[in-house]
Amino acid sequence: MRVLVTGANRGLGEAVAARLVRDGADVVLFDVDPGIEATAARLASLRVGAIVAGVAGDVADEAICEGAFQSAADLLGGLDVVVNIAGIGGPTATVVDTAVADFRRTLEVNLVGTFLSSRAGASMMIRQGTGGCIINTSSIFAQQGVARGAAYCASKAGVSLLTQSLALELAPHGIRVNTVAPGNMATEMHWDELRARALVAGTTFEEEKDAVRESIPLGRHGTGDDIAGAVAWLISANSSYVTGQTIGVNGGVYFT
């Protein structure tokens, strides 16, 4: 299996890439962080004979994104799976206090970046004529809005509906498209959100972290391995009749 994962230098993206390498895939990691090549070298050690490479660049830049996909196809001999995880948290501010530039940048990375990556991957898969899978990453905050997070919520809600349109358009080509919607994950993005929340509420980071954990029916924060497991299922033959869906991975906080 030939895979490209965006946002793969750390957190959820790195965990997904690591799982897929261990499962037997050859993987290209695409991330804005120049340290992505070192991450690729580390993940290559997870399986003897694995092909793992890193490409540095901004997923929201059309030319760079197209180039990254071409590099991946050249290295791997084609592409079977795209996993779009690259994203930013955006401004933590009320709408009236949010700068237009910050709002636009959040949409550019989270939504336009997913569009560009999905378009590039789908074009390759259509030319190959062998089907494939695209997995996008939304959020629990795409399913229920939150104050002081309008840019992020809007961008991730857009991803979910982009997935549905893609699923309908690509089904005749044997390409399935689904969304994973994480919630309350133990990532730096979530910790930054809790730090900002604590600053506004006059509480501490640990208090906010404990409050979130107590609100989760399964009693813990999610991990990269939880997301990786969902992705591994969605790209497997076990989900061959699943497309256009948003799969919540949130510990039971929100039901779809």
Side-chain angles (χ1 to χ4, degrees):
M1 186 176 291
R2 303 162 297 183
V3 182
L4 184 145
V5 181
T6 74
N9 195 55
R10 65 173 188 167
L12 303 183
E14 182 182 358
V16 168
R19 168 66 185 267
L20 299 185
V21 171
R22 287 195 297 267
D23 285 353
D26 292 322
V27 182
V28 169
L29 316 179
F30 181 26
D31 197 289
V32 70
D33 193 317
I36 192 63
E37 292 184 6
T39 300
R42 185 172 67 255
L43 297 190
S45 67
L46 296 176
R47 192 186 85 247
V48 175
I51 299 174
V52 185
V55 177
D58 186 350
V59 71
D61 184 301
E62 182 176 5
I64 289 174
C65 188
E66 291 284 348
F69 271 80
Q70 189 58 58
S71 296
D74 291 344
L75 176 65
L76 303 179
L79 201 61
D80 305 304
V81 174
V82 175
V83 186
N84 289 312
I85 299 183
I88 59 176
T92 303
T94 64
V95 170
V96 297
D97 291 327
T98 297
V100 172
D102 292 338
F103 191 86
R104 284 180 173 152
R105 180 57 182 168
T106 307
L107 292 179
E108 284 287 327
V109 176
N110 295 354
L111 181 54
V112 177
T114 298
F115 161 77
L116 291 172
S117 181
S118 296
R119 185 180 67 173
S123 297
M124 287 184 175
M125 294 174 194
I126 290 170
R127 289 195 298 270
Q128 290 169 185
T130 53
C133 291
I134 298 173
I135 308 298
N136 295 324
T137 305
S138 181
S139 169
I140 190 173
F141 291 144
Q143 299 167 305
Q144 54 180 19
V146 60
R148 304 178 66 84
Y152 184 78
C153 292
S155 68
K156 290 299 188 176
V159 168
S160 295
L161 289 183
L162 173 63
T163 291
Q164 292 181 11
S165 293
L166 283 169
L168 293 171
E169 294 173 3
L170 298 177
H173 301 283
I175 302 169
R176 297 187 296 108
V177 190
N178 290 288
T179 297
V180 173
N184 299 314
M185 309 304 294
T187 63
E188 283 305 313
M189 185 182 293
H190 180 54
W191 301 151
D192 286 344
E193 174 201 346
L194 296 187
R195 292 185 186 102
R197 190 183 301 178
L199 185 63
V200 171
T203 57
T204 67
F205 167 72
E206 289 300 329
E207 287 173 329
E208 293 296 332
K209 184 178 177 181
D210 289 344
V212 169
R213 186 175 61 250
E214 290 169 4
S215 74
I216 302 170
L218 288 183
R220 66 174 177 85
H221 280 84
T223 68
D225 288 341
D226 293 318
I227 300 302
V231 170
W233 177 72
L234 283 169
I235 68 174
S236 75
N238 292 324
S239 64
S240 63
Y241 201 51
V242 179
T243 195
Q245 304 303 307
T246 295
I247 308 298
V249 185
N250 57 43
V253 169
Y254 184 82
F255 299 151
T256 56

